[in-house]
Coordinates of all heavy atoms in Angstrom, one line a residue:
M122 N 0.9 -1.2 0.0 CA 0.0 0.0 0.0 C 0.9 1.2 0.0 O 1.8 1.4 0.8 CB -0.9 0.0 1.2 CG -2.1 0.8 1.1 SD -3.1 0.7 2.6 CE -3.6 -1.0 2.7
T123 N 0.7 2.1 -1.0 CA 1.5 3.3 -1.0 C 0.8 4.5 -0.5 O -0.3 4.8 -0.9 CB 1.9 3.6 -2.5 OG1 2.3 2.4 -3.1 CG2 2.9 4.7 -2.6
Y124 N 1.5 5.2 0.5 CA 0.9 6.4 1.1 C 1.5 7.6 0.4 O 2.7 7.6 0.2 CB 1.1 6.4 2.6 CG 0.2 5.5 3.3 CD1 0.4 4.1 3.5 CD2 -1.0 5.9 3.8 CE1 -0.4 3.3 4.1 CE2 -1.9 5.1 4.5 CZ -1.6 3.8 4.6 OH -2.5 2.9 5.3
V125 N 0.7 8.6 0.2 CA 1.1 9.8 -0.4 C 0.8 11.0 0.5 O -0.3 11.0 1.1 CB 0.4 10.0 -1.8 CG1 0.8 11.4 -2.4 CG2 0.8 8.9 -2.7
R126 N 1.7 11.9 0.6 CA 1.4 13.1 1.5 C 0.2 13.9 0.9 O 0.3 14.3 -0.3 CB 2.6 14.0 1.7 CG 2.4 15.1 2.7 CD 3.6 16.0 2.7 NE 3.4 17.0 3.7 CZ 2.7 18.2 3.5 NH1 2.2 18.4 2.4 NH2 2.6 19.1 4.5
A127 N -0.8 14.1 1.6 CA -2.0 14.8 1.1 C -2.1 16.2 1.6 O -2.7 17.1 0.9 CB -3.3 14.0 1.5
A128 N -1.6 16.5 2.8 CA -1.8 17.8 3.4 C -1.0 17.8 4.7 O -0.5 16.8 5.2 CB -3.2 18.1 3.7
A129 N -0.8 19.0 5.3 CA -0.3 19.1 6.6 C -1.4 19.0 7.6 O -2.5 19.6 7.4 CB 0.5 20.5 6.8
L130 N -1.2 18.3 8.7 CA -2.2 18.2 9.7 C -2.6 19.5 10.3 O -3.8 19.8 10.5 CB -1.7 17.3 10.9 CG -2.6 17.0 12.0 CD1 -3.9 16.3 11.5 CD2 -1.9 16.2 13.1
S131 N -1.6 20.4 10.4 CA -1.9 21.7 11.0 C -2.8 22.6 10.1 O -3.3 23.6 10.6 CB -0.6 22.4 11.3 OG 0.2 22.5 10.2
E132 N -2.9 22.3 8.8 CA -3.7 23.1 8.0 C -5.2 22.6 7.9 O -6.0 23.2 7.3 CB -3.2 23.2 6.6 CG -3.2 21.9 5.7 CD -2.5 22.1 4.4 OE1 -3.1 22.6 3.5 OE2 -1.3 21.6 4.3
L133 N -5.5 21.5 8.6 CA -6.8 20.9 8.6 C -7.6 21.5 9.8 O -7.2 21.2 10.9 CB -6.8 19.4 8.6 CG -6.2 18.7 7.4 CD1 -6.3 17.2 7.6 CD2 -6.8 19.1 6.1
E134 N -8.6 22.2 9.5 CA -9.5 22.7 10.6 C -10.5 21.6 11.0 O -11.1 21.0 10.1 CB -10.1 24.0 10.2 CG -9.2 25.1 10.2 CD -9.9 26.4 9.7 OE1 -11.0 26.6 10.1 OE2 -9.2 27.1 8.9
E135 N -10.8 21.5 12.3 CA -11.8 20.6 12.8 C -13.1 20.8 12.0 O -13.6 21.9 11.9 CB -12.0 20.8 14.3 CG -12.9 19.8 15.0 CD -12.1 18.6 15.4 OE1 -10.9 18.5 15.2 OE2 -12.8 17.7 15.9
D136 N -13.7 19.7 11.5 CA -15.0 19.7 10.9 C -15.1 20.6 9.6 O -16.2 20.9 9.2 CB -16.1 20.1 11.9 CG -16.2 19.1 13.0 OD1 -15.8 17.9 12.8 OD2 -16.8 19.4 14.0
T137 N -14.0 20.9 9.1 CA -14.0 21.7 7.8 C -13.3 20.9 6.7 O -12.0 20.8 6.7 CB -13.2 23.1 8.0 OG1 -13.9 23.8 9.1 CG2 -13.3 23.9 6.7
P138 N -14.0 20.3 5.8 CA -13.4 19.4 4.8 C -12.4 20.2 3.9 O -12.7 21.4 3.6 CB -14.6 18.9 4.0 CG -15.8 19.2 4.8 CD -15.5 20.4 5.7
K139 N -11.4 19.5 3.5 CA -10.4 20.1 2.6 C -10.3 19.2 1.4 O -10.0 18.0 1.5 CB -9.1 20.3 3.2 CG -8.0 20.8 2.3 CD -6.7 21.0 3.1 CE -5.5 21.4 2.2 NZ -5.7 22.7 1.6
R140 N -10.5 19.7 0.2 CA -10.4 18.9 -1.0 C -9.0 18.9 -1.5 O -8.3 20.0 -1.6 CB -11.3 19.5 -2.1 CG -11.3 18.8 -3.4 CD -12.1 19.5 -4.5 NE -11.8 18.9 -5.8 CZ -12.6 18.2 -6.6 NH1 -13.8 18.0 -6.2 NH2 -12.3 17.8 -7.8
V141 N -8.5 17.7 -1.8 CA -7.2 17.5 -2.4 C -7.3 16.6 -3.5 O -8.3 15.9 -3.7 CB -6.1 17.0 -1.3 CG1 -5.9 18.0 -0.2 CG2 -6.6 15.6 -0.8
E142 N -6.2 16.5 -4.3 CA -6.2 15.5 -5.4 C -5.0 14.6 -5.2 O -3.9 15.2 -5.0 CB -6.2 16.1 -6.8 CG -7.6 16.3 -7.3 CD -7.7 16.5 -8.8 OE1 -6.9 16.1 -9.5 OE2 -8.7 17.2 -9.1
I143 N -5.1 13.3 -5.3 CA -4.0 12.4 -5.3 C -4.1 11.5 -6.5 O -5.1 10.8 -6.6 CB -4.0 11.6 -4.0 CG1 -3.9 12.5 -2.8 CG2 -2.8 10.6 -4.0 CD1 -3.9 11.7 -1.4
D144 N -3.0 11.6 -7.3 CA -3.0 10.8 -8.5 C -4.3 10.9 -9.3 O -4.9 9.9 -9.8 CB -2.8 9.3 -8.2 CG -1.4 9.1 -7.6 OD1 -0.5 10.0 -7.8 OD2 -1.2 8.1 -7.0
G145 N -4.9 12.2 -9.4 CA -6.1 12.4 -10.2 C -7.4 12.0 -9.4 O -8.4 12.2 -10.0
T146 N -7.2 11.5 -8.2 CA -8.5 11.2 -7.4 C -8.8 12.3 -6.5 O -8.0 12.7 -5.7 CB -8.2 9.9 -6.6 OG1 -7.8 8.8 -7.5 CG2 -9.5 9.5 -5.9
P147 N -10.0 12.9 -6.7 CA -10.4 13.9 -5.8 C -10.8 13.4 -4.4 O -11.6 12.4 -4.3 CB -11.6 14.6 -6.5 CG -12.2 13.5 -7.3 CD -11.0 12.5 -7.7
I148 N -10.3 13.9 -3.4 CA -10.5 13.4 -2.0 C -10.8 14.6 -1.1 O -10.3 15.7 -1.2 CB -9.2 12.7 -1.5 CG1 -9.0 11.4 -2.3 CG2 -9.2 12.4 0.0 CD1 -7.7 10.8 -2.1
S149 N -11.7 14.3 -0.2 CA -12.1 15.2 0.8 C -11.4 14.7 2.1 O -11.7 13.6 2.6 CB -13.6 15.2 1.0 OG -14.0 16.1 2.0
L150 N -10.6 15.5 2.7 CA -9.9 15.2 4.0 C -10.7 15.9 5.1 O -11.1 17.1 5.0 CB -8.5 15.8 4.0 CG -7.4 15.2 3.1 CD1 -6.1 15.9 3.3 CD2 -7.3 13.7 3.5
V151 N -11.0 15.1 6.1 CA -11.9 15.6 7.2 C -11.2 15.3 8.5 O -11.0 14.1 8.8 CB -13.3 15.0 7.2 CG1 -14.1 15.6 8.3 CG2 -14.0 15.3 5.8
R152 N -11.0 16.4 9.3 CA -10.4 16.2 10.6 C -11.6 16.3 11.6 O -12.2 17.4 11.7 CB -9.4 17.2 10.9 CG -8.7 17.1 12.3 CD -7.6 18.2 12.4 NE -6.8 17.9 13.6 CZ -5.7 18.6 13.8 NH1 -5.3 19.6 13.0 NH2 -5.0 18.3 14.9
T153 N -11.9 15.3 12.3 CA -13.1 15.3 13.2 C -12.9 14.3 14.3 O -12.3 13.2 14.0 CB -14.4 15.2 12.5 OG1 -15.5 15.4 13.4 CG2 -14.6 13.8 11.9
E154 N -13.4 14.6 15.5 CA -13.4 13.6 16.6 C -12.0 13.0 16.8 O -11.9 11.8 17.1 CB -14.5 12.5 16.3 CG -15.8 13.1 16.2 CD -16.9 12.1 16.1 OE1 -16.7 10.9 16.2 OE2 -18.1 12.5 15.9
G155 N -11.0 13.8 16.7 CA -9.6 13.4 17.0 C -9.0 12.5 15.9 O -7.9 12.0 16.2
E156 N -9.6 12.4 14.8 CA -9.0 11.6 13.7 C -9.1 12.3 12.4 O -9.8 13.3 12.3 CB -9.8 10.3 13.5 CG -9.5 9.2 14.6 CD -10.1 7.9 14.2 OE1 -9.7 7.3 13.3 OE2 -11.1 7.5 14.9
V157 N -8.4 11.8 11.4 CA -8.5 12.4 10.0 C -9.0 11.3 9.1 O -8.5 10.1 9.2 CB -7.1 12.9 9.5 CG1 -7.2 13.4 8.1 CG2 -6.6 14.0 10.4
F158 N -10.0 11.6 8.3 CA -10.6 10.7 7.4 C -10.4 11.2 5.9 O -10.3 12.4 5.7 CB -12.1 10.5 7.7 CG -12.4 10.0 9.0 CD1 -12.6 10.9 10.1 CD2 -12.4 8.6 9.3 CE1 -12.8 10.4 11.4 CE2 -12.7 8.1 10.5 CZ -12.9 9.0 11.6
A159 N -10.3 10.2 5.0 CA -10.2 10.5 3.6 C -11.3 9.8 2.9 O -11.4 8.6 2.9 CB -8.8 10.1 3.0
I160 N -12.2 10.6 2.2 CA -13.3 10.0 1.5 C -13.3 10.6 0.1 O -12.9 11.8 -0.1 CB -14.6 10.3 2.3 CG1 -15.8 9.6 1.6 CG2 -14.9 11.8 2.4 CD1 -17.1 9.6 2.5
N161 N -13.7 9.8 -0.9 CA -13.7 10.3 -2.2 C -14.6 11.5 -2.2 O -15.7 11.6 -1.6 CB -14.3 9.2 -3.2 CG -14.0 9.6 -4.6 OD1 -14.7 10.5 -5.2 ND2 -13.1 8.9 -5.3
D162 N -14.2 12.6 -3.0 CA -14.9 13.8 -2.9 C -16.2 13.9 -3.7 O -16.9 14.9 -3.7 CB -14.0 15.0 -3.3 CG -14.5 16.3 -2.9 OD1 -15.0 16.5 -1.8 OD2 -14.5 17.3 -3.7
I163 N -16.5 12.9 -4.5 CA -17.6 12.9 -5.4 C -18.8 12.1 -4.8 O -18.6 10.9 -4.5 CB -17.3 12.4 -6.8 CG1 -16.1 13.2 -7.4 CG2 -18.5 12.5 -7.7 CD1 -16.3 14.7 -7.5
C164 N -19.9 12.7 -4.6 CA -21.1 12.0 -4.1 C -21.4 10.9 -5.0 O -21.3 11.0 -6.3 CB -22.3 13.0 -4.0 SG -23.8 12.3 -3.4
S165 N -21.9 9.8 -4.5 CA -22.3 8.6 -5.3 C -23.6 8.8 -6.0 O -24.0 8.0 -6.8 CB -22.3 7.3 -4.4 OG -23.3 7.4 -3.4
H166 N -24.3 9.9 -5.7 CA -25.7 10.1 -6.3 C -25.5 11.0 -7.5 O -26.2 10.7 -8.5 CB -26.6 10.8 -5.3 CG -27.9 11.1 -5.8 ND1 -28.5 12.3 -5.8 CD2 -28.9 10.2 -6.3 CE1 -29.7 12.2 -6.3 NE2 -30.0 11.0 -6.6
A167 N -24.7 12.0 -7.5 CA -24.5 12.8 -8.7 C -23.1 13.5 -8.5 O -22.4 13.3 -7.5 CB -25.5 13.9 -8.8
N168 N -22.7 14.1 -9.5 CA -21.3 14.7 -9.6 C -21.2 16.0 -8.8 O -21.1 17.1 -9.3 CB -20.9 14.9 -11.0 CG -19.4 15.2 -11.2 OD1 -18.7 15.0 -10.2 ND2 -19.0 15.6 -12.4
V169 N -21.2 15.8 -7.5 CA -21.2 16.9 -6.6 C -20.1 16.8 -5.6 O -19.8 15.6 -5.1 CB -22.6 17.0 -5.8 CG1 -22.5 17.9 -4.6 CG2 -23.6 17.5 -6.8
S170 N -19.4 17.9 -5.2 CA -18.3 17.8 -4.3 C -18.7 17.7 -2.9 O -19.3 18.6 -2.3 CB -17.4 19.1 -4.5 OG -16.3 19.0 -3.7
L171 N -18.3 16.6 -2.2 CA -18.7 16.4 -0.8 C -18.0 17.4 0.1 O -18.5 17.7 1.2 CB -18.5 15.0 -0.4 CG -19.3 13.9 -1.0 CD1 -18.9 12.5 -0.5 CD2 -20.8 14.1 -0.7
S172 N -16.9 17.8 -0.3 CA -16.1 18.7 0.6 C -16.8 20.1 0.8 O -16.4 20.8 1.7 CB -14.7 19.0 0.1 OG -14.7 19.5 -1.2
E173 N -17.8 20.3 0.1 CA -18.6 21.6 0.3 C -19.8 21.3 1.2 O -20.6 22.2 1.5 CB -19.2 22.1 -1.1 CG -18.0 22.6 -2.0 CD -18.5 22.9 -3.4 OE1 -19.7 23.2 -3.6 OE2 -17.7 22.7 -4.3
G174 N -19.9 20.1 1.8 CA -20.9 19.8 2.7 C -20.5 19.9 4.1 O -19.4 20.3 4.4
E175 N -21.4 19.6 5.0 CA -21.2 19.8 6.5 C -20.8 18.5 7.1 O -21.2 17.4 6.7 CB -22.5 20.3 7.1 CG -23.1 21.5 6.5 CD -23.2 22.6 7.5 OE1 -23.6 22.4 8.7 OE2 -22.9 23.8 7.1
V176 N -20.0 18.6 8.1 CA -19.5 17.4 8.9 C -20.2 17.4 10.2 O -20.3 18.4 10.9 CB -18.0 17.5 9.1 CG1 -17.5 16.4 10.0 CG2 -17.3 17.5 7.8
E177 N -20.8 16.2 10.5 CA -21.5 16.0 11.8 C -21.5 14.5 12.2 O -21.8 13.7 11.3 CB -22.9 16.6 11.7 CG -23.5 16.9 13.1 CD -24.9 17.5 13.0 OE1 -25.2 18.1 12.0 OE2 -25.6 17.3 13.9
D178 N -21.2 14.2 13.4 CA -21.3 12.8 13.9 C -20.5 11.9 13.0 O -21.0 10.8 12.7 CB -22.8 12.4 14.0 CG -23.5 13.1 15.0 OD1 -22.9 13.6 16.0 OD2 -24.8 13.2 14.9
C179 N -19.3 12.3 12.7 CA -18.4 11.4 11.9 C -19.0 11.1 10.5 O -18.7 10.1 9.9 CB -18.0 10.2 12.6 SG -16.3 9.7 12.3
S180 N -19.8 12.0 10.0 CA -20.4 11.9 8.6 C -20.2 13.2 7.9 O -20.1 14.2 8.5 CB -21.9 11.5 8.7 OG -22.1 10.3 9.3
I181 N -20.3 13.1 6.6 CA -20.3 14.3 5.8 C -21.6 14.3 4.9 O -22.0 13.3 4.4 CB -19.0 14.3 4.9 CG1 -18.9 15.7 4.2 CG2 -19.0 13.2 3.8 CD1 -17.5 16.0 3.6
E182 N -22.2 15.4 4.9 CA -23.5 15.5 4.3 C -23.4 16.2 2.9 O -22.7 17.2 2.8 CB -24.4 16.4 5.1 CG -25.9 16.5 4.6 CD -26.7 17.4 5.4 OE1 -26.4 18.6 5.5 OE2 -27.7 16.9 5.9
C183 N -24.0 15.5 1.9 CA -24.0 16.1 0.6 C -24.9 17.3 0.6 O -26.1 17.2 1.0 CB -24.4 15.1 -0.4 SG -24.5 15.8 -2.1
W184 N -24.4 18.5 0.1 CA -25.2 19.7 0.2 C -26.3 19.7 -0.7 O -27.3 20.5 -0.6 CB -24.3 20.9 0.0 CG -23.6 20.9 -1.3 CD1 -22.4 20.4 -1.6 CD2 -24.1 21.5 -2.5 NE1 -22.1 20.5 -2.9 CE2 -23.1 21.2 -3.5 CE3 -25.2 22.1 -2.9 CZ2 -23.2 21.6 -4.9 CZ3 -25.4 22.5 -4.2 CH2 -24.4 22.2 -5.2
L185 N -26.3 18.9 -1.8 CA -27.3 19.0 -2.8 C -28.6 18.4 -2.4 O -29.7 19.0 -2.5 CB -26.8 18.4 -4.2 CG -27.7 18.7 -5.4 CD1 -28.0 20.2 -5.5 CD2 -27.1 18.2 -6.6
H186 N -28.6 17.1 -2.0 CA -29.8 16.4 -1.7 C -29.9 15.8 -0.3 O -30.8 15.2 0.1 CB -30.1 15.3 -2.7 CG -30.2 15.7 -4.1 ND1 -29.3 15.2 -5.0 CD2 -31.0 16.6 -4.7 CE1 -29.6 15.8 -6.2 NE2 -30.6 16.6 -6.0
G187 N -28.8 16.0 0.5 CA -28.8 15.8 1.9 C -28.4 14.3 2.4 O -28.6 14.0 3.5
S188 N -28.0 13.5 1.5 CA -27.5 12.2 2.0 C -26.2 12.4 2.8 O -25.4 13.2 2.4 CB -27.2 11.2 0.8 OG -28.4 10.7 0.2
S189 N -26.1 11.6 3.9 CA -24.9 11.7 4.7 C -24.1 10.4 4.5 O -24.7 9.4 4.5 CB -25.3 11.9 6.2 OG -25.3 13.2 6.5
F190 N -22.8 10.6 4.4 CA -21.9 9.4 4.3 C -21.0 9.3 5.5 O -20.4 10.2 5.9 CB -21.0 9.6 3.0 CG -21.9 9.7 1.8 CD1 -22.4 10.9 1.3 CD2 -22.2 8.6 1.0 CE1 -23.2 11.0 0.2 CE2 -23.0 8.6 -0.1 CZ -23.5 9.9 -0.6
D191 N -21.0 8.1 6.0 CA -20.1 7.8 7.2 C -18.7 7.9 6.7 O -18.2 7.2 5.8 CB -20.5 6.3 7.6 CG -19.8 6.0 9.0 OD1 -18.6 6.3 9.1 OD2 -20.5 5.5 9.9
L192 N -17.9 8.7 7.5 CA -16.5 8.9 7.1 C -15.7 7.7 7.3 O -14.6 7.5 6.7 CB -15.9 10.1 7.9 CG -16.5 11.4 7.5 CD1 -16.2 12.5 8.6 CD2 -16.0 11.9 6.2
R193 N -16.1 6.7 8.1 CA -15.3 5.5 8.4 C -15.6 4.5 7.3 O -14.7 3.7 7.0 CB -15.7 4.9 9.7 CG -15.2 5.8 10.9 CD -16.0 5.4 12.1 NE -17.4 5.8 12.0 CZ -18.2 6.3 13.0 NH1 -17.7 6.4 14.2 NH2 -19.4 6.6 12.7
T194 N -16.8 4.4 6.8 CA -17.1 3.3 5.8 C -17.5 3.8 4.4 O -17.6 3.1 3.5 CB -18.3 2.5 6.4 OG1 -19.5 3.4 6.5 CG2 -18.0 2.0 7.8
G195 N -17.9 5.1 4.4 CA -18.4 5.7 3.1 C -19.9 5.4 2.8 O -20.4 5.8 1.8
K196 N -20.5 4.6 3.7 CA -21.9 4.3 3.5 C -22.9 5.4 3.7 O -22.8 6.2 4.7 CB -22.3 3.1 4.4 CG -21.6 1.8 4.0 CD -22.2 0.6 4.8 CE -21.5 -0.6 4.4 NZ -21.2 -1.5 5.6
P197 N -23.9 5.5 2.8 CA -24.9 6.6 3.0 C -25.9 6.2 4.1 O -26.2 5.0 4.2 CB -25.6 6.7 1.6 CG -25.4 5.3 1.0 CD -24.1 4.7 1.6
S198 N -26.3 7.2 4.8 CA -27.3 6.9 5.9 C -28.7 6.9 5.4 O -29.6 6.5 6.1 CB -27.1 7.9 7.0 OG -27.4 9.2 6.6
G199 N -28.9 7.5 4.2 CA -30.3 7.6 3.7 C -30.3 8.1 2.3 O -29.3 8.5 1.7
L200 N -31.5 8.0 1.7 CA -31.7 8.4 0.4 C -31.5 9.9 0.2 O -31.5 10.6 1.2 CB -33.2 8.0 -0.1 CG -33.5 6.5 0.0 CD1 -35.0 6.3 -0.2 CD2 -32.7 5.8 -1.1
P201 N -31.2 10.3 -1.1 CA -31.4 9.6 -2.3 C -30.1 8.7 -2.7 O -30.3 7.9 -3.5 CB -31.6 10.6 -3.4 CG -30.8 11.8 -2.8 CD -31.0 11.8 -1.3
A202 N -29.0 8.9 -2.0 CA -27.8 8.1 -2.4 C -28.0 6.7 -1.9 O -28.5 6.5 -0.7 CB -26.6 8.7 -1.8
T203 N -27.7 5.7 -2.7 CA -27.8 4.3 -2.2 C -26.5 3.6 -2.2 O -26.3 2.6 -1.6 CB -28.8 3.5 -3.1 OG1 -28.3 3.6 -4.5 CG2 -30.2 4.1 -3.0
R204 N -25.5 4.1 -2.9 CA -24.2 3.5 -3.0 C -23.2 4.2 -2.2 O -23.2 5.4 -2.0 CB -23.7 3.5 -4.5 CG -24.5 2.5 -5.4 CD -24.1 2.7 -6.8 NE -24.5 4.0 -7.4 CZ -23.7 4.9 -7.9 NH1 -22.4 4.6 -8.0 NH2 -24.1 6.0 -8.3
P205 N -22.2 3.4 -1.6 CA -21.2 4.0 -0.8 C -20.2 4.8 -1.6 O -20.1 4.6 -2.8 CB -20.5 2.8 -0.1 CG -20.8 1.7 -1.0 CD -22.1 1.9 -1.6
V206 N -19.5 5.7 -1.0 CA -18.4 6.5 -1.6 C -17.1 5.8 -1.1 O -17.1 5.5 0.1 CB -18.5 8.0 -1.1 CG1 -17.3 8.7 -1.6 CG2 -19.8 8.6 -1.7
P207 N -16.1 5.7 -1.9 CA -14.9 5.0 -1.4 C -14.2 5.8 -0.3 O -14.2 7.1 -0.4 CB -14.0 5.0 -2.7 CG -14.9 5.1 -3.9 CD -16.1 5.9 -3.4
V208 N -13.7 5.1 0.7 CA -12.9 5.8 1.7 C -11.5 5.2 1.6 O -11.3 4.1 1.1 CB -13.5 5.6 3.1 CG1 -14.8 6.3 3.2 CG2 -13.7 4.1 3.4
Y209 N -10.5 5.9 2.1 CA -9.1 5.5 2.0 C -8.4 5.5 3.3 O -8.7 6.4 4.2 CB -8.4 6.5 1.0 CG -9.2 6.7 -0.3 CD1 -10.1 7.7 -0.5 CD2 -9.0 5.7 -1.3 CE1 -10.8 7.9 -1.7 CE2 -9.7 5.9 -2.5 CZ -10.6 6.9 -2.7 OH -11.3 7.1 -3.8
P210 N -7.4 4.6 3.5 CA -6.6 4.6 4.7 C -5.8 5.9 4.9 O -5.3 6.4 3.9 CB -5.7 3.4 4.5 CG -6.2 2.6 3.4 CD -7.0 3.6 2.5
V211 N -5.7 6.4 6.1 CA -5.0 7.6 6.4 C -3.9 7.2 7.5 O -4.2 6.5 8.4 CB -5.9 8.7 7.0 CG1 -5.1 9.9 7.4 CG2 -6.9 9.1 5.9
K212 N -2.7 7.8 7.4 CA -1.7 7.7 8.4 C -1.2 9.1 8.7 O -1.1 10.0 7.8 CB -0.5 6.9 7.9 CG -0.6 5.5 7.9 CD 0.8 4.7 7.9 CE 1.6 5.1 6.8 NZ 2.7 4.1 6.6
I213 N -0.9 9.4 10.0 CA -0.4 10.6 10.4 C 1.1 10.4 10.8 O 1.4 9.5 11.6 CB -1.1 11.3 11.6 CG1 -2.6 11.3 11.3 CG2 -0.6 12.6 11.9 CD1 -3.1 12.2 10.2
E214 N 2.0 11.2 10.2 CA 3.4 11.1 10.6 C 3.9 12.5 10.8 O 4.0 13.3 9.9 CB 4.2 10.5 9.5 CG 4.0 8.9 9.4 CD 4.9 8.3 8.4 OE1 5.7 9.0 7.7 OE2 4.7 7.0 8.2
G215 N 4.0 12.8 12.1 CA 4.4 14.2 12.5 C 3.3 15.1 12.1 O 2.1 14.9 12.5
D216 N 3.6 16.1 11.2 CA 2.5 17.0 10.7 C 2.0 16.6 9.3 O 1.3 17.3 8.7 CB 3.1 18.4 10.7 CG 2.0 19.5 10.5 OD1 0.9 19.3 11.1 OD2 2.2 20.4 9.7
D217 N 2.4 15.4 8.8 CA 2.0 15.0 7.5 C 0.8 14.1 7.6 O 0.8 13.1 8.3 CB 3.2 14.2 6.8 CG 4.3 15.2 6.5 OD1 4.1 16.4 6.3 OD2 5.5 14.6 6.4
V218 N -0.2 14.4 6.7 CA -1.3 13.5 6.6 C -1.1 12.7 5.3 O -1.0 13.2 4.2 CB -2.6 14.3 6.4 CG1 -3.8 13.4 6.2 CG2 -2.8 15.2 7.7
L219 N -1.0 11.4 5.5 CA -0.7 10.5 4.3 C -1.9 9.7 4.0 O -2.6 9.2 4.9 CB 0.5 9.6 4.7 CG 1.7 10.2 5.2 CD1 2.7 9.2 5.7 CD2 2.4 11.1 4.2
V220 N -2.2 9.6 2.7 CA -3.4 8.8 2.3 C -2.9 7.8 1.2 O -2.1 8.1 0.4 CB -4.4 9.8 1.7 CG1 -5.6 9.0 1.1 CG2 -4.9 10.8 2.7
S221 N -3.5 6.6 1.3 CA -3.3 5.6 0.3 C -4.6 5.5 -0.6 O -5.6 5.1 -0.1 CB -3.0 4.3 0.9 OG -2.9 3.3 -0.1
V222 N -4.4 5.8 -1.9 CA -5.5 5.7 -2.8 C -5.4 4.4 -3.6 O -6.2 4.1 -4.4 CB -5.7 6.9 -3.7 CG1 -6.0 8.1 -3.0 CG2 -4.5 7.1 -4.6
T223 N -4.4 3.6 -3.3 CA -4.2 2.4 -4.1 C -5.1 1.3 -3.7 O -5.4 0.4 -4.5 CB -2.7 1.9 -4.0 OG1 -2.4 1.8 -2.6 CG2 -1.8 2.8 -4.7
Q224 N -5.6 1.3 -2.5 CA -6.5 0.3 -2.0 C -7.6 1.0 -1.2 O -7.4 1.6 -0.2 CB -5.8 -0.7 -1.2 CG -6.7 -1.9 -0.8 CD -5.9 -2.8 0.2 OE1 -4.7 -3.0 0.1 NE2 -6.7 -3.4 1.1
E225 N -8.8 0.8 -1.7 CA -10.0 1.3 -1.0 C -10.3 0.5 0.2 O -10.1 -0.7 0.1 CB -11.2 1.5 -1.9 CG -10.9 2.4 -3.0 CD -12.0 2.3 -4.1 OE1 -12.9 1.6 -3.9 OE2 -11.8 3.0 -5.1
S226 N -10.7 1.1 1.3 CA -11.1 0.2 2.5 C -12.6 0.3 2.7 O -13.3 1.1 2.1 CB -10.3 0.7 3.7 OG -10.8 2.0 4.0
Ligands
LIG548 S1 -25.9 14.7 -5.3 FE1 -25.4 14.0 -3.3 S2 -27.3 13.3 -2.5 FE2 -27.8 13.9 -4.5

């Protein structure tokens, strides 16, 4: 599994998603509840950026139609989205946030 530096931990604000791209994959980085999560930035319902949504209870809400995706699993909590969004393993090394997009978890 290859990890790539995605951002500095110090630049991630609590509950404020940050969109990054790794190897052409758009990713929303979310620092919340003492952890950092990496979820694909595109909603599984339509081509909408999840990083523009709100974070609450370890989920990110799609601003367009309101489906929430669990940041740990990518699963939607309710309609209209029915398919999960890929999530990626994250490692913290010092101030570096490392993400592996080679294997979805
Ligand atoms: S585009 Fe995200 S729920 Fe519809």
